[in-house]
Amino acid sequence: MSPSPELHVVESTDPLAVPRRVALVRPDTRPTVRRGDERYVMTFPHLIVREVILFQAVVIALSLAAIVFDAPLEGIANPIETPNPAKAPWYFLGLQELLHYFPPIVAGVLLPGLVVLLLAVIPYARINLTAGPLWASGGKRTALALAAVTAALFALFAVFGCWPIAVPTLLTAAAMFAARGGARGGRLRRALAQVTLPEWIMTWFVVIATLLTVIGTFFRGPGWAFVWPWSGAI
Amino acid sequence: MSEESERSPNPGAPGTSRRDFLTQIGGGACAVAGVGSLVVTLDYLKPKVLFEPPTVFRAGSAVDYPEGTVRFNREQRAYVIGGGGGVFALSAVCTHLGCITRYLSDEKAIACPCHGSRFDLEGNVVHGPAPRPLPWLEVTADAAGNLVVDSSIIIPHGKVTRA
Amino acid sequence: MADWLRGSAVYRSIVRHGTADTNRNRSLVIFENLFLHVHPVKVREKTLRFSHTYWLGGVTLVSSLVLIATGILLMFYYHPSVPQAYRDMKELNYVVDNGLFLRNLHRWAAHLMVFGAFLHMLRVFYHRAYRPPRQFNWVVGIILLILTLFLSYTGYLLPWDQLAFWGVSVGTNMAKEAPLVGEGIRFLLLGGNVVSENALLRFYVLHCVVLPVALLLFLSVHIWRIRKDGGVQGPPSDVDDPRPEESA
């Protein structure tokens, strides 16, 4: 490959600009743009066949699950007898676990509402469009702000005794600090160094949501007391 | 003046053309009709007669409740308790999220199975997520000492009925 | 036999093009078909890679199709009344041929749909596929996620067993805590002050009519906009990579 001509690339910082590809075709090459992703294939059969395979795979997997595992059915509903513990479907058990720590207005209305609102505005928040790697700008101020926010959040959740949120908060912050200057580190740290602030926040949220759901599903027994899943109290 | 009368043929409403006026009337009518049908629909969805269990029940005689007796009435979701020199009734519905609490006789406590709230025998929260104490229900006694509890009437804490 | 079928006047009136062995006919397969024409005739080869989307949206869509099919079949045996609803569950489980299988399929497909929708959302987030021009489709996706949760939640009450009753009691008591409107919303949702037969009927109507129709509407918008916004969006390197391709 012959050396490329000198080019000055000016990167646009405007996130709303529609990206446009410009190809530089040197005279010693054939005038074809050789970016792999610009290759098009016919939808039929290439995509349609894959869709059919996906459909079949999902249906087969679900059918096998339906043959092997039976859907639960307990005794008829009885308004005077509360089962112990009374559990919601699994995707609400994170919420039910929250109810254990916070007053219902916070855990049942405020926090879920906030989560839905924050999810809905993601594409309209500028930070999600522009954010670069967290530590891109060296970041003494970033480090200070991060430490302050972490301490505040940790204190808030610790006051309520909500360790399933407080501890992951600390761990996430630790991972964020570990990513600092990771560009020269090993593979894992190099990958961490590329993570943006919104991605860190989402990761934090996912870790907490998963942890709360797992605790609520497997580690809660009668009276919503902590049990080990193998103690058979579920 | 001439310029304005050109824009507004109706001298009674300066600055508003006939078209604007009719648009506003039309839009307003649509809004009123929309809000009206929404209100009527919501009202339709609100049941007018409920076949829910009655809230008044008999709880026997006051002599059945010596100090420290706790009786749980399942159907009415209430405890009738002898104490404080008389009888009082507690709702058994947890103030947290409406699970039915249980009386633990060996611990002399009321516990909720759902989220682990605990109450003492006067309904006060001992610990757990419940935001309020269990409400006291009205207990009335006639001359013969027969008790009637109305679970729809909530009375202040500490108001013990003496027969 | 197949050739005779293809040559018949009836077949020719339904499918107007010949066998899909030329690119012309392969295009016609797509744009002469109501259901396939949300697709473009050609797609970028890269979008077919597994790591581009992990097919998570597709998994969610397929499970919703399974849910519609099994749900309609289950409706033939279900009465939304107390205590008949619970008896119908017993009948489905022990008497009706394949009733248990259909009920299981419906239940596990529902779990898969919730799980798939959540993973799909995460995939889109980490691929930053919500960026312009796809902002609105992300919002539609969030609406679909909420509708999915409500569908699953309303369906949870229908067997009218202890699990259902108390799961829904706890959930609707949560709604009561919302300031000002909470009590009213709960009363309207349950058609009463407690979870009763009224609540069962209301949840049934929501689960079988109102929410599925809403879901299909938003689903149509969601899928249509994928096409309008230029196809599925993979990892950020797909568009943003400023480096020139080095391999020839």
Side-chain angles (χ1 to χ4, degrees):
Chain A
M1 214 177 187
S2 55
S4 302
E6 278 288 311
L7 278 179
H8 291 286
V9 179
V10 183
E11 277 186 80
S12 165
T13 53
D14 181 11
L16 303 171
V18 177
R20 180 179 295 174
R21 282 206 185 83
V22 178
L24 176 75
V25 182
R26 294 201 312 265
D28 58 338
T29 58
R30 281 181 298 139
T32 42
V33 180
R34 290 185 298 202
R35 283 194 62 113
D37 63 330
E38 290 302 324
R39 278 186 51 195
Y40 281 75
V41 292
M42 295 302 290
T43 301
F44 184 89
H46 293 95
L47 177 58
I48 302 296
V49 164
R50 282 171 170 83
E51 286 174 349
V52 171
I53 291 172
L54 174 76
F55 179 84
Q56 290 170 338
V58 172
V59 171
I60 289 170
L62 280 174
S63 302
L64 288 178
I67 290 169
V68 177
F69 303 105
D70 281 347
L73 185 70
E74 294 189 354
I76 190 166
N78 182 356
I80 15 192
E81 191 69 45
T82 306
N84 193 356
K87 286 194 178 187
W90 64 267
Y91 40 85
F92 284 138
L93 284 181
L95 216 58
Q96 203 177 344
E97 177 70 16
L98 273 184
L99 283 164
H100 183 64
Y101 302 102
F102 299 100
I105 178 119
V106 177
V109 181
L110 226 58
L111 288 179
L114 200 66
V115 167
V116 169
L117 189 76
L118 286 180
L119 284 178
V121 300
I122 281 177
Y124 300 101
R126 248 191 131 65
I127 181 171
N128 288 309
L129 306 175
T130 55
L134 180 66
W135 300 106
S137 56
K140 203 158 191 169
R141 278 177 61 192
T142 315
L144 272 175
L146 178 59
V149 170
T150 307
L153 283 175
F154 181 79
L156 177 70
F157 292 118
V159 162
F160 283 97
C162 190
W163 302 110
I165 296 185
V167 173
T169 305
L170 277 191
L171 292 180
T172 311
M176 289 165 88
F177 276 114
R180 192 176 181 186
R184 286 179 303 281
R187 249 184 94 156
L188 178 67
R189 288 191 65 208
R190 271 211 306 281
L192 281 181
Q194 289 303 314
V195 181
T196 64
L197 181 62
E199 285 166 350
W200 279 115
I201 295 174
M202 179 62 105
T203 308
W204 175 68
F205 166 73
V206 170
V207 167
I208 287 172
T210 312
L211 186 65
L212 287 174
T213 306
V214 167
I215 291 179
T217 310
F218 297 112
F219 293 89
R220 289 299 180 180
W224 211 250
F226 190 89
V227 294
W228 296 105
W230 47 88
S231 66
I234 296 174
Chain B
M1 185 63 210
S2 67
E3 201 185 309
E4 191 173 339
S5 65
E6 250 185 307
R7 279 200 294 117
S8 73
N10 179 3
T16 310
S17 71
R18 172 174 299 181
R19 174 173 293 182
D20 288 346
F21 177 71
L22 288 176
T23 307
Q24 283 163 14
I25 291 281
C30 288
V32 167
V35 171
S37 33
L38 191 70
V39 168
V40 171
T41 309
L42 281 179
D43 181 56
Y44 165 79
L45 288 173
K46 206 172 255 181
K48 298 298 176 295
V49 181
L50 289 176
F51 300 95
E52 289 176 356
T55 59
V56 180
F57 65 97
R58 294 173 185 283
S61 169
V63 293
D64 298 338
Y65 296 92
E67 197 84 6
T69 315
V70 178
R71 287 201 187 167
F72 176 44
N73 187 317
R74 282 172 170 274
E75 283 73 29
Q76 296 292 337
R77 307 165 161 210
Y79 300 102
V80 183
I81 300 172
V87 179
F88 59 94
L90 276 183
S91 163
V93 181
C94 182
T95 51
H96 183 225
L97 286 175
C99 295
I100 307 300
T101 56
R102 280 144 200 240
Y103 172 57
L104 309 174
S105 53
D106 36 340
E107 293 172 50
K108 297 271 177 230
I110 294 170
C112 175
C114 289
H115 306 99
S117 296
R118 269 177 180 254
F119 307 88
D120 65 16
L121 287 185
E122 292 184 354
N124 301 310
V125 182
V126 180
H127 65 82
R132 292 176 297 275
L134 295 175
W136 283 41
L137 310 174
E138 189 187 66
V139 183
T140 46
D142 63 11
N146 293 318
L147 300 171
V148 175
V149 182
D150 189 341
S151 59
S152 66
I153 301 177
I154 290 166
I155 59 167
H157 260 229
K159 214 178 137 198
V160 177
T161 303
R162 292 182 174 82
Chain C
M1 179 71 184
D3 285 344
W4 173 80
L5 193 71
R6 280 178 191 283
S8 71
V10 176
Y11 184 90
R12 296 292 300 171
S13 75
I14 301 170
V15 181
R16 295 165 193 231
H17 51 77
T19 43
D21 47 5
T22 62
N23 276 0
R24 178 180 174 276
N25 280 350
R26 286 172 174 184
S27 312
L28 290 174
V29 168
I30 301 299
F31 63 68
E32 294 217 329
N33 183 306
L34 170 68
F35 306 103
L36 297 183
H37 90 275
V38 291
H39 292 304
V41 165
K42 284 182 169 189
V43 289
R44 290 163 58 211
E45 190 186 36
K46 212 175 180 179
T47 60
L48 296 179
R49 289 184 194 165
F50 180 72
S51 62
H52 205 77
T53 60
Y54 305 101
W55 299 94
L56 287 167
V59 168
T60 315
L61 176 66
V62 172
S63 33
S64 71
L65 295 179
V66 171
L67 283 164
I68 291 171
T70 53
I72 289 173
L73 289 172
L74 289 173
M75 278 171 80
F76 283 114
Y77 276 101
Y78 181 79
H79 305 75
S81 63
V82 180
Q84 189 59 42
Y86 184 74
R87 291 186 191 149
D88 291 336
M89 288 302 119
K90 289 283 186 200
E91 192 185 340
L92 278 170
N93 275 7
Y94 299 114
V95 182
V96 179
D97 283 348
N98 295 320
L100 181 62
F101 174 72
L102 281 177
R103 200 171 95 78
N104 292 347
L105 199 57
H106 197 72
R107 172 70 65 122
W108 303 133
H111 285 330
L112 182 67
M113 189 174 162
V114 173
F115 199 60
F118 190 67
L119 289 184
H120 174 58
M121 185 192 81
L122 290 183
R123 195 287 290 177
V124 171
F125 178 81
Y126 285 113
H127 281 177
R128 297 198 223 168
Y130 51 77
R131 282 176 299 172
R134 295 182 174 79
Q135 309 103 310
F136 182 64
N137 217 11
W138 167 273
V139 178
V140 173
I142 297 292
I143 294 172
L144 284 171
L145 179 67
I146 293 168
L147 282 175
T148 306
L149 287 176
F150 271 124
L151 267 166
S152 182
Y153 187 63
T154 48
Y156 200 68
L157 181 66
L158 300 187
W160 201 252
D161 63 344
Q162 279 287 70
L163 216 59
F165 183 89
W166 288 101
V168 170
S169 292
V170 168
T172 50
N173 277 320
M174 234 141 70
K176 198 157 72 176
E177 298 296 330
L180 299 177
V181 292
E183 293 264 9
I185 287 178
R186 178 169 187 270
F187 188 79
L188 276 185
L189 195 62
L190 295 182
N193 297 310
V194 291
V195 180
S196 66
E197 198 164 14
N198 283 1
L200 181 61
L201 183 59
R202 283 180 185 217
F203 274 49
Y204 176 73
V205 173
L206 287 175
H207 185 75
C208 299
V209 183
V210 180
L211 293 172
V213 168
L215 185 88
L216 285 181
L217 276 177
F218 281 100
L219 198 58
S220 318
V221 175
H222 198 60
I223 291 172
W224 180 71
R225 289 206 59 136
I226 295 173
R227 165 93 191 268
K228 288 287 152 184
D229 294 342
V232 289
Q233 167 69 58
S237 57
D238 181 24
V239 204
D240 274 353
D241 199 349
R243 289 164 302 181
E245 193 87 352
E246 272 159 14
S247 59

